[in-house]
Amino acid sequence: ARKQAIANNIDPNDVDWLLQAVTDLSSLSLRMGLFQDKTIINSLKSLPELDQLWQRRLQNRLPVQYLAETVFWRRFQLKVTPAVLIPRPETELIVDIVREVADSNKSFFSPQQQQNWVDLGTGSGAIALGLADSFPQAKIYGVDSSPAALEVAQENAIALGLDEQIDFCCSNWWDKLERLKGKVTGMISNPPYIPSAEIPKLQLEVTQHEPHSALDGGVDGLDSIRYLVESAPQYLISGGIWLVEIAIAQSDLVVELLNQQGEYDDMKIFSDLNGIERFVLAYRS
């Protein structure tokens, strides 16, 4: 399978990833070849079924996460389907940024105060779940316009025992959250931010299988971000967090939009683990 991957210009590590997802083998066991000493390997799939899945990876370029219907994200193992964008490792940092901000101002983000966190465009529910795990006393709202995506998110929340803390809402951004105006502690979002013309140039795994509604940010990639800049002040409390993931080379433009809007303070840019400027943070005035 690894030889087939190389021949088809696919990362051979996808073989190990798939095996970890459906068997009891660890990455160390696969890397060191320790599995060869095992007489029994527990697997959710038979060997012929595994081979069929792998052929779909090779022939249809279906992402390995969709093959196994699972992705490892932070400390979670989440269900994913083609109805949701596959959560990327770099997005994990958005939850860490929120935690750092809360730790640096514990009086403002005190568990004794009612906290309402909103994850706009929740998809698989990854960010909402990360927020619920980080702020167990808070109420989390996971918003998405796709019923199919929300079904996956709800399933993930139930599997992790976080469903009572999260209110999943089928809505176009803020549309059905009127009751939260002036009450939101923080708005977190990984919105569509890829320029429309760039989408056909992405990997086949992305262009052919991941939902374009979660990718396409319009001509310059900033359509959704502009909306979030303009709309969020109505909902955020004074001092509330505005935190969004962005694409390469968008940080200065997003900071400019925030400055022009006039209701944000103390903008900051954060890089991902590859040193790429990936997140913009601001506070409601």
Side-chain angles (χ1 to χ4, degrees):
R2 293 177 69 87
K3 289 178 182 178
Q4 289 176 327
I6 294 169
N8 285 273
N9 198 29
I10 290 172
D11 186 350
N13 290 321
D14 278 8
V15 179
D16 289 0
W17 196 101
L18 180 59
L19 289 171
Q20 286 181 72
V22 301
T23 73
D24 61 353
L25 296 175
S26 67
S27 60
L28 179 63
S29 176
L30 289 162
R31 194 165 60 248
M32 303 297 291
L34 303 178
F35 61 88
Q36 297 177 32
D37 298 327
K38 295 172 72 75
T39 55
I40 295 176
I41 295 173
N42 295 310
S43 176
L44 299 173
K45 304 286 184 182
S46 68
L47 196 55
E49 287 173 328
L50 266 176
D51 188 57
Q52 287 178 359
L53 287 176
W54 184 245
Q55 292 308 311
R56 291 181 67 197
R57 176 74 183 99
L58 297 174
Q59 296 168 17
N60 302 333
R61 309 293 291 201
L62 191 68
V64 68
Q65 294 90 342
Y66 289 155
L67 287 175
E69 289 198 342
T70 190
V71 65
F72 302 99
W73 195 83
R74 292 185 70 83
R75 68 178 189 87
F76 309 134
Q77 185 170 348
L78 304 177
K79 177 178 179 177
V80 290
T81 74
V84 301
L85 195 71
I86 298 168
R88 269 53 173 184
E90 57 264 27
T91 306
E92 296 182 16
L93 296 177
I94 205 167
V95 179
D96 294 325
I97 294 169
V98 175
R99 291 171 63 120
E100 288 173 14
V101 169
D103 286 343
S104 66
N105 192 349
K106 292 184 178 179
S107 59
F108 186 85
F109 297 101
S110 168
Q112 282 71 45
Q113 298 183 21
Q114 175 60 43
Q115 295 185 33
N116 297 305
W117 294 88
V118 178
D119 170 21
L120 291 177
T122 193
S124 65
I127 292 174
L129 292 163
L131 292 170
D133 185 52
S134 300
F135 303 102
Q137 305 303 319
K139 183 67 178 178
I140 314 298
Y141 296 85
V143 179
D144 207 289
S145 60
S146 166
L150 288 172
E151 190 174 322
V152 174
Q154 185 73 45
E155 194 170 329
N156 283 325
I158 292 171
L160 294 167
L162 296 170
D163 52 304
E164 291 189 5
Q165 192 184 347
I166 305 175
D167 183 0
F168 289 108
C169 176
C170 189
S171 172
N172 183 35
W173 302 115
W174 298 104
D175 285 359
K176 295 184 180 178
L177 296 179
E178 288 281 321
R179 66 190 183 282
L180 291 181
K181 281 189 173 181
K183 299 178 182 179
V184 175
T185 308
M187 181 219 76
I188 319 298
S189 183
N190 179 13
Y193 55 63
I194 299 174
S196 303
E198 296 298 316
I199 291 178
K201 304 175 187 177
L202 300 175
Q203 291 178 306
L204 291 176
E205 287 81 352
V206 177
T207 59
Q208 292 185 2
H209 299 289
E210 297 202 63
H212 284 203
S213 60
L215 299 167
D216 193 338
V219 174
D220 62 358
L222 295 172
D223 283 1
S224 296
I225 293 174
R226 285 192 186 89
Y227 169 78
L228 296 176
V229 168
E230 291 298 324
S231 60
Q234 305 173 58
Y235 294 86
L236 292 170
I237 61 174
S238 179
I241 290 175
W242 186 96
L243 177 60
V244 166
E245 182 171 327
I246 60 170
I248 296 172
Q250 288 181 341
S251 58
D252 290 343
L253 294 170
V254 175
V255 169
E256 185 179 347
L257 289 172
L258 290 162
N259 276 318
Q260 290 175 351
Q261 205 283 336
E263 295 183 79
Y264 298 96
D265 292 323
D266 198 17
M267 278 69 84
K268 290 185 174 67
I269 298 168
F270 293 85
S271 298
D272 61 21
L273 296 177
N274 294 315
I276 297 169
E277 292 182 342
R278 182 64 65 185
F279 309 99
V280 176
L281 167 73
Y283 298 87
R284 172 75 163 87
S285 300

